[in-house]
């Protein structure tokens, strides 16, 4: 893709690099202070932010934005409070740069240290969810990184108001304002340029739907951490305990259907299906879940409609579940291999060897035995916070905490050694 | 870039994915056995490989290949022996998949394990150096990965003969032949297609000159590990001991000038330059090093020619050194920040605080105090082997051993846990 070149964006990149030089040397205490001040500033500027957001919401409604998206765009007192509390929580987390990874003396007497360092400048490309502006900034900054933010154009006024509040905190402690920069020009060419500014951007993290993420993966020359899409399966092995299976499936589908770790497809061994699928179907029906299935499923669950290929491929993010009866373990594995997005996959079984096989066979970020897939989450893992869930294998996989926002460098301290 | 679509390459990708399913479950002993057999097979098929290589060399010479490149293309008994020994050495290394990274029980009683796993399918794009065929295959396989090899077209016959020998070993132990695949069609479109086969390739590692690497970075949609280019600086602080500085500079420039960790630019504090640069210039002259420098340098080293901007940007990979006199530490840092490729950077100093500052200030894979930059090397680091030196910050930085060829997954073992 050829890109219309913007000098302004190059300048932002240069200033970001400059700010990165400052940030990577900021102490833990300084970063903690600025994050707490950012939280205060969000609260102090709540009225201004709400006003700006009100304009965004009005415009979006006029332009016919869907209700679910309008809901995500809207900032009320509760959300602003959560934004501030989120920043305070990040402030309290351990500094991912504080501790050396490894240190050893090599054969030549060189002291080699692998030290964590910030990635540098991180580009965040996201949709019209203004809370991401504060969250992503908090996490990037805690790990010593500069952020270049490009949010959805429908949230521009909200994002500007939030970033203005964050800037006040940066200025109060003498951090460069350019540590947090927002691209406000809605021109889409700028996103492509951002994705190709290898001299100024160290890493891109897209946050949003499959379309946004694929656009970044396809067009970026800057390294990308691919996040998010979860076409999640649960496979009920014939040995599974019915109640365990039922509780896990209901939880994974119903507790919060709009998130990436919710289950989208259910695979059921023939023997289990014959005994229990009808009851399981009723339990899902009671939970208002729309069911689609193959012929065998529809014999056992008469109200299930026909599942097409397409439905096994879809991340519904809704109260909808695709079901398929499989002959055995191998057919289940093949189905998962074909349709998995590499996010989270689970088996329910009481068979020891089958459980081990599943853990080994499945190639996904998180592989479960006998637990709900809803646990794929940085908080649940104990990371304290999460910038996203990586579905790629390079750099970071699965829930990403602060560590995923760092790189490392080697320092070598010698006393005049030369190579023989 | 629009790509002419090749069904054949898609098939290779599918078979690679299939082979990856096999390889990720191969045991340490099985992998060790196949690597040792590969070494034997290279030796047993030495005549065939040399014959094929002879054809490549003849053709390349006819087509006017430069002598240095011809030298790299040529395989003799010594090189074949080294190839086999390299594979045996990799066989002996610790299996990077053997040991879990971490295991903990979370608040819900879930046992979470972060286990190393292979990256999957690795595409290696390289020039006409047939030894890379065996080296890269050995390292990838040891870490449980399938390799898709795309070497320079001048080495096709050699690479085919080598891969045939490797296939014999795979077959002998019942590993799928598709674990090691060579793209023999010289059409350049295929390289671009390979770089965009996100469904079948997990990672690309380009190995070669700056042009090849930039082509991959610009055109790949598959994640890339950028390797190699080293515009390496040594900065001599005014506090440096002369002999230490001289020995390090001579070693870093002369010991092996054609490699990426050799020094390319020398920055010298004014005070040091006035006292010692003339002697240092003579020492370099005695080592047959061609010198270019700014005006201040040329006053002290009359035989140095004029250094242009371009020369401070160039990785000479030759007995040539660009020198610049700087006013102080800050000017040195600014110069390095401007021209560094993020590979290796060194300071020679006896000042404690300056040494610490340099280690913190410089953003490169490896940062040295008082040692030759020639130590940036997987072997020297104790990694046992090296697939390349990463100059990016994502995934791996600096010398990459077997660990860089792995990812990880989380396994979660529960007893029916659901999320509240």
């Amino acid at each position: 893709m050829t890109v219309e070149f913007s000098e302004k964006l190059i300048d932002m990149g240069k200033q970001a690099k400059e700010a990165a030089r400052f940030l990577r040397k900021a102490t833990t205490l300084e970063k903690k202070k600025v994050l707490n001040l950012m939280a205060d500033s969000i609260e102090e500027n709540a009225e201004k932010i709400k006003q700006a957001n009100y304009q965004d919401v009005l415009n979006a409604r006029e332009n016919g934005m869907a209700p679910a998206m309008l809901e995500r765009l809207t900032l009320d007192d509760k959300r602003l409070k959560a934004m501030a509390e989120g920043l305070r929580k990040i402030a309290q987390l351990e500094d991912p740069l504080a501790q050396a990874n490894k240190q050893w003396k090599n054969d030549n007497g060189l002291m080699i240290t692998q030290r964590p360092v910030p990635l540098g400048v991180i580009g965040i490309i996201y949709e019209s969810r203004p809370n991401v502006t504060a969250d992503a900034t908090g996490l990037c900054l805690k790990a010593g990184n500069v952020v270049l933010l490009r949010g959805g154009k429908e949230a521009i006024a909200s994002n500007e108001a939030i970033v203005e509040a964050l800037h006040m905190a940066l200025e109060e402690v003498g951090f460069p304002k350019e540590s947090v920069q927002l691209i406000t020009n809605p021109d889409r060419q700028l996103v492509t340029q951002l994705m190709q500014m290898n001299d100024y951007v160290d890493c891109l993290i897209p946050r949003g739907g499959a379309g946004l993420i694929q656009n970044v993966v396809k067009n970026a020359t800057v390294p990308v951490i691919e996040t998010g899409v979860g076409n999640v399966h649960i496979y009920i092995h014939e040995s599974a305990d019915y109640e365990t299976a039922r509780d896990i499936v209901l939880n994974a589908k119903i507790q919060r259907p709009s998130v990436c770790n919710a289950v989208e497809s259910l695979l059921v061994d023939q023997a289990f299906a014959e005994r229990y699928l009808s009851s399981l179907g009723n339990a899902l029906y009671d939970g208002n879940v729309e069911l689609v299935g193959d012929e065998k499923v529809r014999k056992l669950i008469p109200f299930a409609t026909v599942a097409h290929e397409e439905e096994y491929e879809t991340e519904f993010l809704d109260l909808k579940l695709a079901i398929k009866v499989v002959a055995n373990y191998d057919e289940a594995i093949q189905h998962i291999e074909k349709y998995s997005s590499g996010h989270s996959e689970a088996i329910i079984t009481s068979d020891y060897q089958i459980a081990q096989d599943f853990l080994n066979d499945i190639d996904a970020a998180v592989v479960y035995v006998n637990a709900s897939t809803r646990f794929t989450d940085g908080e649940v893992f104990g990371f304290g916070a999460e910038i996203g869930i990586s579905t790629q294998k390079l750099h970071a996989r699965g829930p990403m905490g602060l560590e995923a926002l760092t790189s490392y460098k080697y320092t070598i301290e010698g006393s005049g050694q030369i190579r023989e």
Side-chain angles (χ1 to χ4, degrees), chain A:
Chain A
M1 195 186 281
T2 322
V3 182
E4 196 73 45
F5 188 80
S6 155
E7 277 297 339
K8 172 118 196 286
L9 200 55
I10 297 284
D11 283 345
M12 287 176 77
K14 283 181 185 165
Q15 287 168 345
K17 272 281 170 210
E18 192 60 41
R21 278 178 206 122
F22 177 94
L23 270 194
R24 69 174 175 249
K25 293 198 275 182
T27 65
T28 303
L29 285 177
E30 287 165 346
K31 289 185 288 183
K32 194 167 175 176
K33 191 171 172 194
V34 81
L35 287 164
N36 280 320
L37 284 172
M38 282 178 162
D40 297 346
S41 184
I42 293 283
E43 288 175 347
E44 284 157 17
N45 292 284
E47 284 314 311
K48 258 201 226 165
I49 297 170
K50 279 193 293 180
Q51 251 172 350
N53 181 252
Y54 185 66
Q55 272 311 315
D56 279 338
V57 172
L58 278 188
N59 290 338
R61 194 179 293 154
E62 253 174 50
N63 293 322
M65 184 184 265
M69 286 181 70
L70 266 179
E71 200 273 330
R72 287 173 173 187
L73 174 61
T74 307
L75 292 174
D76 55 16
D77 285 324
K78 204 177 137 202
R79 284 211 170 139
L80 285 171
K81 180 84 196 157
M83 213 182 265
E85 285 310 319
L87 288 166
R88 288 191 184 105
K89 204 176 144 198
I90 294 167
Q92 294 307 316
L93 294 176
E94 216 177 300
D95 186 339
L97 307 180
Q99 200 171 339
N101 301 332
K102 306 177 201 172
Q103 184 174 66
W104 72 97
K105 211 164 213 170
N106 90 334
D107 295 349
N108 309 85
L110 295 168
M111 181 63 81
I112 305 180
T113 311
Q114 193 195 63
R115 301 186 185 189
V117 296
L119 284 170
V121 179
I122 299 179
I124 310 276
I125 298 174
Y126 56 111
E127 292 167 346
S128 295
R129 303 184 67 163
N131 60 311
V132 173
T133 310
D135 290 357
T137 297
L139 289 166
C140 289
L141 215 77
K142 178 80 189 188
N145 297 291
V146 169
V147 269
L148 278 180
L149 300 159
R150 177 48 142 97
K153 67 174 191 298
E154 299 83 358
I156 281 179
S158 317
N159 287 338
E160 279 188 301
I162 293 166
V163 168
E164 203 184 321
L166 301 178
H167 279 171
M168 289 177 196
L170 287 170
E171 284 184 328
E172 196 170 333
V173 291
F175 275 38
K177 259 178 66 172
E178 293 77 13
S179 307
V180 181
Q181 297 185 58
L182 176 70
I183 301 170
T184 52
N185 184 333
D187 184 354
R188 279 180 152 250
Q189 288 275 343
L190 292 188
V191 188
T192 309
Q193 186 181 343
L194 174 66
M195 295 193 272
Q196 302 180 352
M197 295 215 306
N198 294 55
D199 287 344
Y200 307 109
V201 184
D202 294 287
C203 162
L204 292 171
I205 304 179
R207 286 186 55 170
L212 179 140
I213 289 163
Q214 280 313 304
N215 178 33
V216 176
V217 168
K218 294 286 171 225
N219 293 305
T221 55
V222 172
V224 176
I225 304 179
E226 191 174 343
T227 63
V229 176
N231 191 17
V232 172
H233 300 78
I234 293 178
Y235 164 47
I236 307 181
H237 183 252
E238 59 176 11
S239 69
D241 171 65
Y242 173 64
E243 267 100 45
T244 304
R246 182 198 58 202
D247 293 352
I248 288 174
V249 170
L250 291 176
N251 182 257
K253 183 70 260 181
I254 296 171
Q255 197 229 4
R256 207 172 158 204
S258 65
V259 291
C260 59
N261 57 21
V263 66
E264 305 293 3
S265 279
L266 181 66
L267 305 173
V268 188
D269 264 349
Q270 178 78 39
F272 185 97
E274 278 160 16
R275 267 186 85 179
Y276 301 116
L277 189 55
S278 173
S279 313
L280 185 54
N282 289 333
L284 286 159
Y285 182 84
D286 292 343
N288 294 315
V289 180
E290 181 193 341
L291 302 179
V292 295
D294 62 6
E295 219 167 298
K296 286 177 187 163
V297 170
R298 296 178 59 229
K299 266 191 198 141
L300 296 158
I301 308 177
F303 55 87
T305 54
V306 183
H308 307 90
E309 172 83 7
E310 189 196 317
E311 263 129 350
Y312 292 117
E313 286 168 351
T314 303
E315 188 187 18
F316 301 120
L317 297 172
D318 207 345
L319 284 173
K320 186 172 177 181
L321 183 69
I323 310 182
K324 187 183 165 77
V325 172
V326 293
N328 50 36
Y329 176 84
D330 288 340
E331 193 186 338
I333 296 293
Q334 275 161 29
H335 181 98
I336 294 173
E337 274 173 354
K338 185 166 175 194
Y339 296 102
S340 171
S341 62
H343 190 291
S344 300
E345 306 295 351
I347 189 172
I348 322 292
T349 185
S350 61
D351 183 307
Y352 175 79
Q353 189 56 48
I354 288 287
Q356 297 302 326
D357 286 350
F358 191 82
L359 293 175
N360 288 318
D361 285 338
I362 295 296
D363 185 23
V366 190
V367 187
Y368 289 87
V369 174
N370 297 343
S372 169
T373 56
R374 288 277 296 111
F375 289 108
T376 301
D377 179 295
E379 296 267 355
V380 169
F381 274 45
F383 298 165
E386 179 190 290
I387 187 83
I389 292 169
S390 164
T391 53
Q392 73 181 32
K393 293 190 199 167
L394 228 56
H395 187 69
R397 199 176 193 200
M400 295 187 288
L402 288 169
E403 205 187 308
L405 298 174
T406 68
S407 177
Y408 54 80
K409 72 177 173 191
Y410 292 100
T411 60
I412 299 193
E413 295 170 84
S415 49
Q417 281 89 340
I418 59 170
R419 193 151 174 199
E420 302 298 333

